[in-house]
Amino acid sequence: MAPAHRTAAFLWAVLTLLLWCGFAVAQDPQTSISYFDNLPGRLFFFEDTPTAVYHDTTDGDVYITQDEGRTWDRASGIPRGEALMVIPHPFDTRYAFVLTAGTTHYRTEDRGRTWRSFSVPVAPAFTPYPLSFHSDPSKWGYILYQGTECTLAGWGCTDITYYTTDGFSSDTKELLTDTSRCQFAHSSKDFKHDAHPDLIYCVGFDSSSTGNYHSISSSRLYSSTDFFHTTTLETLGMGRGAKGVVALAIVSKFAVVALKDLSPGADGTMMLYVTVDTKEWAKAQFPHASQARLRENAYTIVESTVHSLAVDVLSQDQGAIGTLFVSNSNGTYFVESLPDTNRNAAGYVDYENVYGIEGVGIANVVSNSLDVERKGQPKKLRSMITLNDGSSWAALRAPSGDVDGHNVPCNPDDEESCSLHLYSVTNPHNFGRVFSSPAPGFVVGVGSIGKQLAPYEDCDTFLSIDAGLTWRMIQRNAHIYEFGDSGSIILLVDDEGPTDSVVYSLDFGKTWKSYNLGMSVRARGLTSVSDATSQKFMLLVQIARKDQKAGQGRYAVIYLDFAGLRSRKCGDDDFERWYARATPDTECLLGVKQWYKRRKADADCYVGDKFIDPTIHEEPCPCEDHDYECDYNYIRSDDKCIPSGLERIPSNMCTSGRPDETYMGSSGYRLIAGDRCDKGRGLRKDEPTSKSCSQAQPAEGEITTQLHDCPADIVQYEFFKDSSTILVRLSDHTIWQSSNEGFTWEQKFPGERFLAFYMNTHTNDRAYLITETSKYYYTTDGGRYWHQANAPSRPNSFRASVMSFQPRSDYLIWVGDVGCDGAAEQCRAQAQYSRDHGRNWHFIDDYVVNCAWARDEELKIDATQILCESYLHKEGSQRTFGRNNPLELISGRDYYGKKTKLFDHVVGFTKFSEFLIVAEYVPQRNALDLQVSLDGRTFAEGQFPPGMHPNTHAYTILESSTDAIFLHMTMSEYPAPFWGNILKSNSNGTYFGLSVENVNRDQYGYVDFEKFAGLDGIALANIVANPAEAALTGVKALQTRITHNDGGTWKPLTPPAADSLGQSYSCSTTKCALHVHGYTERTDARATYSSPSVVGVVMAVGNVGETLAPYTESDTFLSRDGGFTWQEVHKDAHLWEFGDSGSVILLVNDEEPTDHVLFTTDEGLSWREYQFSKDKLRIKAIVTVPDDTSRKFMLFGYSPQSPAASVIVHIDFTSLTHRQCQLNEDNPGHDDFELWSPSEERQEVCLFGRQTLYHRRKRDANCVVGKIPKIGEKFVSNCACTEEDFECEFNHVKNDKGKCVLIAGMTPLESDSTCRGDDEYWYERTAYRKVRYSSCEGGYRPDRGSSHRCPGLRGHSTFFWLTILLLPIAVTVVVVWWWYKKSGLARGTIRLPSSASDYQPLGSFGSGSGNVLDTIASVPWFLLGLAGIAYVYVSSTVDNLVGAFRSRRGYRDVPVDEDAQILRFEDEEE
């Protein structure tokens, strides 16, 4: 070979070798390492930039990298040790702010290259988010700054909010003082509305609040469009009652305000109000009124989509277990989505949406929630996935093989025992989102395969590339993970101990390569740019002490660059379409299919679209039923939308008067907001339809009627509470439903034979239709949808209640027949319970008469306790049992697992208010004892006046609402007509005293006694005026008595001066009074004298005379002042009903068939007649919604010609007037309402020891009250005690002079020498005791005998001991309390851990964006005490690193969203 040729060949060989070597070197990622002294309190990227910030919160320093972690420099311009927190601008990535503990702070406008100082008047507030930003990029400089001003002399601090419009380039201006949170309405990209661009919301305290601390009742929501030069109070549709605001947050497209319910008895209940447009606020309605009640510190608004809000509510007092609810499109109506969700003590919930895939989310549930609650066992977690925005959930399908290709040790087809379970939000191990990233469809998790989630150290790492539909194991052991280059790089680092390598995959996890780091480290975090489009990563590690070199920090950031591994950029042929869901039945969501352009798994190329988010492509789907919702004024009933009433139409329609005239009206459907389905290829359910003008709402002033014929008699009916839906059962065993207050009707499940229906007594929207078999139907949404279920047995035939309920709405008890077929030799009633709303049933007991949950709304005892009346001898047919087989009362705690016999022989038991009352049979005395309990375990025997013990008398427990039991003791002897005495107990139900004698009752035990709704302590009773004569003749002469002090004294009703015709009554002596017919004569017990919606207004049928006349000789009367004065409003006896809070009162003749009704709009000053039918009907009842707030009524009756059938007449007064009543709480008397007091018509100013005013519509105001929020009673002041505030003590009765005296032969109770509270004295008992419901102070005190100084410490005054004991530690307490209140640990704190980027003031470690994960998490305050405060303080200043690092929230390392923050409020009454 020629030399030239040899030389050329040599050069080519050398060049080839060099290229090969270079290529070989390029197979490994490029690395560099930077050392730090401490872990960061915050590590995040500026969005869509290579710039990242490392905030060393221990030393107070900030470090910046401009090359994704390759090199780091300390931030120039910021003094060492000054950086308290770093807050990036969420809407302009050039800007970030460093706040110090003082008033001088720093700003960068070039992503950290340079920093400049600025000053503000006060130091930052003790809140994790002192800054709030405007979302409009053109208003980047609009920033709110929350600071704290403290005064040493006052030992207190005040939060003040300032604002700037140029990013602190000029001096800030004061916005508002005494604020706990201020936020721009335009502060989220998803919350889109047309409100004023400068609209600001602030949670602040009204001017009536004084001092350094505030009552929660003074916390309100204010708004302004001119930086609070003018201020608007946001009433949220509640009027001035919008008090107790505790939090404001913008979550996805919703603005949410949390309020504490300040009404009496609310017990920490919270309310959520939601808006999507800043104009209309609506209260969030939850389906389970008791179980899912929003309690203070017991709910979390979790990651939500733009289509719905998701709220997790703590459902168990033990174990931090919740229930997930998902809202409709406007965030106001919630349905249960997933029970038994896993939570932690801080309020975080194991729930996360898969990024970028609409409707897909992963959650963890507690499979052994029962054992966690009752036995305190560790939780067993299972993972679930939803593909349809929470409508349904399924287990994560386990892969069939492991990482080595071997079969997993269980069958993946058996999802119950072999599914995949993953660690989630409550146990984070890395930055950013737990499972997914912007890389489309990629999901990674650490977990295990089996029945439940294994311990972390026993878990492996799994990958899904189809958004969670299928999974495969990719590595043994637990790893932290990160995605790069739009998912084409997957990087893992061992998370179970020290490691010297990382593993990565370039083909979607099919193959893996390892890269040796050259040193052994403990991984602490792994991250990349926020949108997962870079090929560079930052690995945060801790270096072992033995490997640490002199001059190097203990912690390091290892920079890993994979850009050199692939040389070719992907072309169009390297990509494919990937559809977000691969199952046909869930492909379309909100009318579209979603797909992404994604690199093929085997393509050997890099994507290289750095900082370009994946584009969502949509393909419209044909419109289907689920794309539509009910239109305005229409409501859902099963699969149809029906009108809620007559449709309102424009005034130019239906004007000709022709009977055949039509108009184009709503079809009843509308497309769901945001739905993008193709109507051209699908259903057009929202197109207007032609309707008869008879379906249109008439002109103002007109009334409309609809008549409906029923084939049989009405035997049962009831509304769903707070609903327009009513159920009716006929005597032919059919059930009918109307969802629009009787306007239209439909038969439910034709062909079924129904024996009864039950309304869940604790949950407004649940009901159960009972058939004669074990099959029943139930609804959980107020009758919108019904579902079939099977009970463990058919309904019992022993007259026991078939179903029993308790405040936890999924808890049911069923009592049914067992062994009652054929010869029925072992026929018995068997009880079973369910904790999951009938999905599974568990045996309780056999041979029972009654089984019920012990817990009730006011009887707040063990929720697992079941009470059963159970026969001692359990054999044979229960139908043959007699008194020789005693009925025991068994208490079974732990769901009847721990049984205790309470009584050997009982007649029955009942729960009443806060009392559990048992009638015990004592065979030795052949007598009854009354046993009372407040806790379901310990009982006290009732003590009665002489001659009035239940061992010789029948008794009836009467209604009570004033902390005492009213009991009717029958005193007449059989077979004489029945009457007896009403006794009233003390506060614990054990000592009974006489209230009123000779009260009428009937043969069924019902008593003429009724309390007025809305006015506690006022009641009517009918007494037998001739007991001696009635015992002989059998004819009772009745007289009516009224009490205004809860049974302490009773008086006759004052008769009106003239009748309804202006004539004087024939009876005019002092013996004459008004007497009214009572409870014992009613065919419908719901036809009460009064209504809670019309305070003080009472109606009754009666007469003026010496005694009560027969019903058919009676007239109709009305009182507007709680029964103090009366007027006759119409001759003859009438049925009555209140509508629209009293703005309409309806009367119908109750003596004979009629074709018309009478109505008044001025509470009886004038009456008008309306004919509802051409034929006369006999009306049996007037029915409207339970709260009497509707203008629609139903008349239930029958035609005299067809008494076996029924007629329902629907009468609609909606168009009578369209004017809405106006309420001005700030200026009473200048609106349509008046302030009324029960004392207006009487000499005494006070009732129950206090002067109280009530709001009610003025009598002559012709307007619609409608849904105006009811304003609670207005307390004026407590009064001095008078005789009215006392009643006779036990064993005492009133004599002829009205004085309490000891009953002959009896002994008084011993005096109670117990000293309570700050009492300095105790008093001997007298013949009087104070009415418990009275709040009077001082004045006349006949209940106090001789005084005695309290022994021991009580011998000195409260002031003395406060001075001696508290002064030395006063300063310490103030300091600790201030820190406690301001650090977010105080009771009532609403926590918003929005994202991983959330800045935690105590050194939290994470990054992300609030746009994806916004939460309001309420922290259980009782878990945190002074020890917790001390720990947090120390950890925030000394070693906050490892624990704080665990705060993995939100999506990735995007700048903080100011929506996600801790909102404080002072809710203690200071």
Side-chain angles (χ1 to χ4, degrees), residues 989-1005:
T990 54
Y991 290 103
F992 286 82
L994 179 63
S995 176
V996 59
E997 294 182 293
N998 301 329
V999 178
N1000 183 49
R1001 57 151 282 199
D1002 63 14
Q1003 65 271 30
Y1004 304 109

Side-chain angles (χ1 to χ4, degrees), residues 234-242 273 279-282 1267-1270:
E234 292 289 338
T235 62
L236 310 177
M238 301 172 62
R240 295 284 297 180
Y273 279 78
K279 297 180 178 64
E280 299 292 333
W281 292 85
K1267 296 297 183 181
I1268 291 179
K1270 296 295 184 294

Side-chain angles (χ1 to χ4, degrees), residues 229 424 476 620 645 658 782 874 895 986 1023 1083 1090 1308 1400 1457:
H229 294 298
S424 185
R476 296 283 186 190
R658 299 195 317 271
K874 298 180 181 297
Y895 303 99
N986 61 349
I1023 67 168
T1083 57
S1090 56
Q1400 304 294 339
D1457 181 350

Side-chain angles (χ1 to χ4, degrees), residues 1317-1362:
D1318 293 329
D1319 291 347
E1320 295 182 41
Y1321 299 91
W1322 64 270
Y1323 299 89
E1324 295 181 7
R1325 288 190 195 271
T1326 70
Y1328 294 86
R1329 66 186 179 197
K1330 186 180 174 184
V1331 174
R1332 179 175 174 82
Y1333 203 64
S1334 173
S1335 60
C1336 70
E1337 300 172 341
Y1340 176 64
R1341 294 305 300 261
D1343 61 325
R1344 291 182 173 179
S1346 300
S1347 63
H1348 302 271
R1349 184 175 292 276
C1350 289
L1353 296 178
R1354 299 300 180 187
H1356 293 283
S1357 68
T1358 301
F1359 178 79
F1360 173 86
W1361 288 112
L1362 284 175

Side-chain angles (χ1 to χ4, degrees), residues 1118 1120 1127 1161-1165 1234 1257-1261:
L1118 178 145
R1120 297 189 69 249
Q1127 68 182 93
T1161 57
D1162 52 19
E1163 296 179 4
L1165 289 178
E1234 64 181 358
R1257 187 190 66 102
K1258 292 177 180 176
R1259 193 171 193 176
D1260 58 354

Side-chain angles (χ1 to χ4, degrees), residues 303-459:
E303 182 179 15
S304 302
T305 70
V306 294
H307 312 301
S308 60
L309 270 175
V311 178
D312 191 84
V313 180
L314 186 70
S315 59
Q316 286 194 10
D317 296 333
Q318 305 293 329
I321 299 173
T323 301
L324 180 68
F325 296 87
V326 176
S327 78
N328 60 349
S329 58
N330 64 6
T332 56
Y333 182 81
F334 285 79
V335 296
E336 181 179 307
S337 176
L338 187 65
D340 296 333
T341 51
N342 183 49
R343 303 165 55 95
N344 64 14
Y348 293 108
V349 183
D350 275 349
Y351 173 84
E352 184 181 86
N353 290 325
V354 173
Y355 180 86
I357 313 300
E358 288 189 354
V360 180
I362 298 175
N364 282 347
V365 298
V366 181
S367 62
N368 65 330
S369 58
L370 177 62
D371 292 333
V372 172
E373 178 187 15
R374 70 187 197 183
K375 300 179 181 179
Q377 291 188 359
K379 294 179 180 178
K380 297 179 180 179
L381 303 184
R382 293 176 55 84
S383 294
M384 310 291 287
I385 187 171
T386 178
L387 305 175
N388 51 16
D389 220 4
S391 295
S392 61
W393 294 80
L396 288 178
R397 183 170 178 83
S400 57
D402 62 15
V403 69
D404 301 317
H406 302 135
N407 291 334
V408 296
C410 58
N411 180 9
D413 293 330
D414 181 7
E415 292 185 349
E416 186 64 29
S417 60
C418 189
S419 57
L420 178 61
H421 314 290
L422 303 174
Y423 278 88
S424 185
V425 174
T426 60
N427 191 13
H429 285 257
N430 195 16
F431 303 102
R433 299 185 67 85
V434 177
F435 299 119
S436 58
S437 79
F442 291 92
V443 187
V444 175
V446 171
S448 61
I449 298 172
K451 294 185 66 174
Q452 65 203 42
L453 184 61
Y456 190 79
E457 59 273 12
D458 297 332
C459 289

Side-chain angles (χ1 to χ4, degrees), residues 162 654 761 963 1140:
Y162 296 84
C654 296
T761 51
D963 304 326
D1140 190 35

